[in-house]
Amino acid sequence: MLPTREKAEELLREAEKCNPGPWGNHSRVAAHCAERIARECGGMDADKAYILGLLHDIGRKFGVRHLGHVSDGYSYMMSLGYDEAAKICLTHSFQTKTLTEYIGKFDTTEKELKMIRDALETVALDEYDRLIQLCDSLAGAEGVLDIEERMEDVKRRYGAYPQDKWDFNLGLKKSFEEKTGRDIYEVVGKETFCVGNGRGRKAEFFYKSADAPVPNQPNLVGATVLIEYGQKLLLEHRADCERWAVIGGSLRVDESFLDCALRETKEETGIELARDMVSLYKVYDDPSLIIRYPDGNIFRSVMMVYRTKLRELPVLSCSEESKELRFFTKEELRDVPIVETHIPILQDYLGCAGRALKTAER
């Protein structure tokens, strides 16, 4: 049994409050990699892969432990009835199912050590166990790493890395490349994916909604940019609402719309656009585009939208307002949860005016 995506994300956020650290974003990167790889492997459930990747290190909720985080995670997930997640908490650290391959301190009690040993003797590893083992070896705290660089980093920190485990991980990479038919770094978007720290205000967005509140502040005017590379569009996973949005932000009193678009692009993605790279797309001033912030301020949103096509694949850098940056194909965009105020922009971009786009996670 597994939790839903929403519940898994909630469990991770709660765990980070108990033991803050880079392990939380490492888990998010592992989840991203697992979902992307599973999506391209016939017969694998991408949602399941994402959830397992997100929870593989959940035992770190209970403090800074080495082998102890394995037993903590296993026991915690079993106590909640999530036996499939409990299994991943155990197997992600043991490619060959032997205790001696563990890298780190043996900081468990005898009872915990026996529980791990007994479980390893009886567990049967499947393709999801192998997938999370691979993704654990790819995931850094800010993005996807070269697998050999990640293993070298572990070796430097702990003084050793068993050759058998090293070779096994490279074998996993090769195996999943054969299943997907592509270089694994391309599958997971190594050069274009990053994860932010997830901080930000929670906000509510409305478009043609009977539930929309009445604005109590002057119009919120801003600029956004449709940033394309190849046949894909760049979106940010906003920290203030758990949805995806076009890159952009509010207009300052001392800048033009174009200046705003260039500044927001740089701040939110790290991409520096020249003025001649950007063209005007459209103005969105529908009075039903409403934003309500938790401080009680309610705005009508007016947006000047620009468009640009990149010639080279950029190196992305998240701001504190973003949890993640990712390029999407047009087909993928139709099933991505979108900030309501950006729905008309993407309806026009996709050529599906009048069609409802997704606005909430499954």
Side-chain angles (χ1 to χ4, degrees), residues 5-6 9 237 242-244 337 358-362:
R5 286 175 71 109
E6 294 85 352
E9 289 166 352
H237 190 184
E242 300 296 335
R243 293 181 180 86
W244 294 82
K358 190 176 178 186
T359 58
E361 294 284 6
R362 287 192 182 98

Side-chain angles (χ1 to χ4, degrees), residues 20 97-98 107 160 167 212 219 229 260 307 319 340:
K97 295 176 54 178
T98 58
D107 53 358
D167 294 340
N219 293 341
Y229 174 72
C260 175
R307 189 172 185 175
S319 72
E340 285 81 351

Side-chain angles (χ1 to χ4, degrees), residues 5 9 25 28-29 31-33 35-36 39 50 54 142-143 188-189 192-198 234-239 242-245 247 268-269 316-328 361:
R5 286 175 71 109
E9 289 166 352
N25 277 347
R28 292 183 178 92
V29 177
H32 159 80
C33 292
E35 180 179 33
R36 294 290 288 270
R39 189 180 295 157
Y50 175 86
L54 207 64
E142 297 180 356
V188 301
T192 59
F193 172 82
C194 69
V195 60
N197 59 24
L234 181 63
L235 296 183
E236 64 169 335
H237 190 184
R238 292 180 58 143
E242 300 296 335
R243 293 181 180 86
W244 294 82
I247 306 303
E268 294 188 359
T269 71
L316 300 175
S317 176
C318 285
S319 72
E320 292 188 354
E321 297 176 2
S322 305
K323 296 180 67 175
E324 180 184 338
L325 295 167
R326 190 191 305 179
F327 281 96
F328 292 91
E361 294 284 6

Side-chain angles (χ1 to χ4, degrees), residues 87 90-91 97 118-125 129:
K87 181 187 176 192
L90 172 75
T91 61
K97 295 176 54 178
D118 291 346
L120 285 174
E121 289 178 355
T122 58
V123 70
L125 274 62
D129 296 293

